[in-house]
Amino acid sequence: MAAGLESPSIPVPEGASPGTPFAALHGLSKRFGGVQALDDVSLQLRAGEIRCLAGENGCGKSTLIKLLSGVLRPDAGRIEIDGDSHERLRPIQAIRLGIQVIYQDFALFPNLSVAENLTLPGLVEQRRFWVNRRSLRPAAAEALANLGVELPLDTTVGGLPVAGQQLVAIARALRQRARLLVLDEPTTALTHKEVEVLLGVLRRLREAGVAILFVSHKTREVLDLADSVSVLRNGRLVAGGAGSDFTPGSLAEALTGRSVGGLSPSPRADLQESDRAGPRIEVSDFSVPGGCSGIHLQVRAGEIVGLAGLLGAGRTALVQGLFGLNPQARGRVRVDGREVTPDSPEAAIGAGLAYVPEDRLSEGLFLNQSIERNIVVSTLRSLRGRWRMLKPAGVRSAAEAGVRQTGVRTQTVTQPVSTLSGGNQQKVLLARWLATGARVLILNRPTAGVDIGAREEIHARLRAFAADGLAILLISDELPELASLSHRVLVMHRGRVAVELEGNAVEEGNLALELDGLA
């Protein structure tokens, strides 16, 4: 997949007149049982303007989107489109008025091809029952060209990486000539380079007269992109104004309701004298067929080593191989000087390795189970008593210790993990692996989909875990995160380590230059 190779030619939507109001929300409110999800929210969306809707998880952003797109009916308030007032919109009505929403789950058909996904809405609208698949290709290719990306048209969408699926969803929305494009956390699955491509496309859409509502809790993206900003907290609109009126500090304070410091510089001081004798984990000539080859790396106790790279660079293949998730992995792995063979997750755990996966919802958590069960699932053997039965008191004690250690916010450990925010779900995963007594913690995008307050807490705890002697291998697409946390960063390209940055060279600008040079 290639992205941003050419400057996209954005089609101008009919009726777009830059600067004029397209949609206005007046006093929208929505309650679910005893929870006031949205409370008297009013804002305006203008053609040719990018308005960023910012807020932490659970603040009401998704509810507002569903009201605007007709999925939900407001309890109070009204929506104006082109001056016409609506007490509610139906989904098909919203689409016909030019409102297109890119949800976090993409709403794609994984078993259909890229071309079929891109052209299906038009086929449904035309009520075409018989379709020549070859005839779909020109329209699909044009939709991707408008976005400035290349994707294999005949590949099923389910076979694409998450970033590819995101781009298909955006290209499909653009093909519908949206007058208002709503993007719900669109950069969560994208690499640094792909984010830059997307932001460039959105700026060109703005110039073409499209109104854009960009929903995010990433401070830097909001400030880089926004013409105007609206901040939701606990269902209420608590701040708003021109994007230039906000600073990182003032936006973070509006998001959280408290003073929040930015990402602090990574400590560059030497590691503890006792930790200099040798690496906690040492990897030599490690390869995963089709993923990475000839990898050499080491991480000392107390050290955080970042892994940077573009999509397909081999980072995930490497860490999954180390954790025994790919039996074809080959190479030499030593933990605290002892040679180990992590040919299964069980063997990796026994060797002192722990892995927090990229997608906590599908790969990490048992969503319908309690916090307690999610934390203790990897340490059940140690919690058995006579007759190999679990000791309830020991299970409860272990779970509560994990909650305290990682700062999970909950009333009780019996609460289903599905009811937690993204940040607290991630802390549950951390608690699970810390309970195993891991000496090496591998993290794959640990703050994806996590709001600014929880992200800062997770960063602080990772630094504390490293200070206590844990060796951490960190994959992240967030360059500020890598620069803030890492003592060293390995930049991967085409399955190999291309560049190593350490000390004062671990800086966001240097990382961006290295990645851009490999694109």
Side-chain angles (χ1 to χ4, degrees):
M1 178 179 65
L5 301 179
E6 298 178 357
S7 178
S9 175
I10 304 296
V12 179
E14 295 179 7
S17 179
T20 60
F22 168 69
L25 314 182
H26 298 282
L28 291 185
S29 296
K30 184 66 180 179
R31 175 180 287 273
F32 298 99
V35 177
Q36 188 72 43
L38 215 62
D39 187 5
D40 193 26
V41 172
S42 300
L43 58 87
Q44 203 168 65
L45 303 166
R46 296 180 176 273
E49 180 185 58
I50 299 176
R51 177 175 290 273
C52 285
L53 181 65
E56 297 200 287
N57 293 332
C59 70
K61 303 190 301 290
S62 295
T63 301
L64 186 146
I65 292 172
K66 290 176 181 177
L67 295 176
L68 181 59
S69 61
V71 175
L72 295 175
R73 179 180 188 135
D75 297 331
R78 59 190 174 88
I79 301 171
E80 280 188 18
I81 305 293
D82 282 334
D84 295 329
S85 182
H86 305 268
E87 289 188 4
R88 73 157 297 178
L89 293 172
R90 292 177 293 111
I92 189 63
Q93 182 184 14
I95 291 171
R96 288 171 178 167
L97 288 170
I99 299 171
Q100 289 285 334
V101 180
I102 306 296
Y103 290 106
Q104 292 184 51
D105 62 2
F106 309 143
L108 297 171
F109 295 92
N111 60 323
L112 297 183
S113 70
V114 171
E116 289 165 338
N117 269 277
L118 288 171
T119 55
L120 184 60
L123 298 175
V124 172
E125 187 174 5
Q126 297 166 21
R127 297 186 178 182
R128 292 176 59 181
F129 297 99
W130 301 100
V131 178
N132 181 344
R133 283 191 170 90
R134 290 186 179 180
S135 68
L136 306 180
R137 294 177 60 85
E142 180 184 8
L144 292 174
N146 284 339
L147 188 60
V149 301
E150 297 174 3
L151 291 170
L153 296 178
D154 297 323
T155 297
T156 58
V157 162
L160 293 176
V162 175
Q165 295 179 28
Q166 175 93 53
L167 295 172
V168 170
I170 294 169
R172 185 178 66 180
L174 295 182
R175 188 170 184 271
Q176 303 307 300
R177 293 185 175 272
R179 296 182 62 195
L180 169 62
L181 184 63
V182 182
L183 298 107
D184 187 6
E185 303 285 358
T187 63
T188 299
L190 303 184
T191 65
H192 169 73
K193 188 68 174 179
E194 289 163 338
V195 169
E196 292 302 312
V197 171
L198 174 61
L199 299 189
V201 169
L202 296 182
R203 292 185 180 105
R204 285 186 287 273
L205 277 170
R206 173 181 59 190
E207 294 168 4
V210 179
I212 297 171
L213 184 63
F214 186 92
V215 181
S216 179
H217 55 239
K218 296 183 179 180
T219 303
R220 184 161 306 206
E221 286 178 4
V222 170
L223 296 179
D224 285 349
L225 187 65
D227 298 310
S228 56
V229 176
S230 297
V231 181
L232 285 175
R233 190 171 70 244
N234 297 327
R236 296 188 64 86
L237 195 63
V238 296
S244 58
D245 292 342
F246 288 87
T247 65
S250 65
L251 181 57
E253 187 169 347
L255 287 167
T256 62
R258 63 183 188 275
S259 180
V260 177
L263 292 173
S264 59
S266 178
R268 305 304 181 200
D270 289 340
L271 301 177
Q272 296 295 320
E273 190 72 32
S274 60
D275 296 328
R276 293 182 180 178
R280 172 131 286 178
I281 182 171
E282 186 174 17
V283 178
S284 303
D285 198 25
F286 194 82
S287 299
V288 176
C292 63
S293 61
I295 301 295
H296 298 265
L297 65 84
Q298 57 180 270
V299 187
R300 290 183 286 171
E303 187 178 29
I304 301 176
V305 174
L307 284 177
L310 302 175
L311 187 68
R315 297 172 301 168
T316 296
L318 167 62
V319 297
Q320 288 182 342
L322 290 175
F323 194 63
L325 292 171
N326 192 324
Q328 295 181 310
R330 296 291 182 269
R332 191 175 187 183
V333 180
R334 290 186 174 185
V335 177
D336 286 337
R338 184 172 63 89
E339 192 151 346
V340 299
T341 305
D343 51 5
S344 69
E346 186 177 21
I349 294 169
L353 276 65
Y355 175 55
V356 176
E358 178 177 10
D359 188 343
R360 60 180 170 269
L361 299 182
S362 64
E363 298 178 311
L365 294 168
F366 302 97
L367 290 173
N368 294 325
Q369 297 295 324
S370 66
I371 296 169
E372 178 180 74
R373 291 187 176 186
N374 271 275
I375 289 176
V376 304
V377 68
S378 294
T379 53
L380 293 177
R381 288 184 179 178
S382 66
L383 298 172
R384 289 173 178 168
R386 288 187 67 185
W387 314 114
R388 300 174 63 83
M389 299 292 288
L390 289 175
K391 297 179 289 185
V395 169
R396 181 61 50 86
S397 177
E400 290 176 344
V403 164
R404 290 192 299 271
Q405 186 179 18
T406 57
V408 179
R409 295 182 182 176
T410 181
Q411 296 293 324
T412 171
V413 293
T414 60
Q415 180 179 346
V417 78
S418 60
T419 63
L420 299 178
S421 68
N424 282 304
Q425 289 178 348
Q426 197 74 346
K427 292 174 189 176
V428 169
L429 272 182
L430 285 172
R432 175 195 298 172
W433 292 116
L434 292 172
T436 66
R439 286 164 286 171
V440 180
L441 179 62
I442 303 170
L443 302 163
N444 196 342
R445 301 176 72 238
T447 59
V450 170
D451 58 50
I452 186 171
R455 185 172 71 241
E456 186 177 72
E457 288 182 38
I458 290 172
H459 286 175
R461 292 185 185 278
L462 292 181
R463 290 190 181 97
F465 298 153
D468 287 341
L470 200 62
I472 298 177
L473 189 60
L474 168 70
I475 291 179
S476 179
D477 295 324
E478 302 291 333
L479 301 189
E481 182 170 70
L482 285 173
S484 168
L485 290 175
S486 305
H487 295 89
R488 292 184 289 122
V489 175
L490 308 179
V491 181
M492 292 188 65
H493 180 59
R494 295 181 178 176
R496 294 182 176 272
V497 175
V499 178
E500 179 175 345
L501 301 176
E502 59 182 333
N504 292 330
V506 180
E507 189 265 332
E508 184 181 350
N510 290 338
L511 288 169
L513 286 173
E514 295 293 349
L515 291 172
D516 288 345
L518 297 174

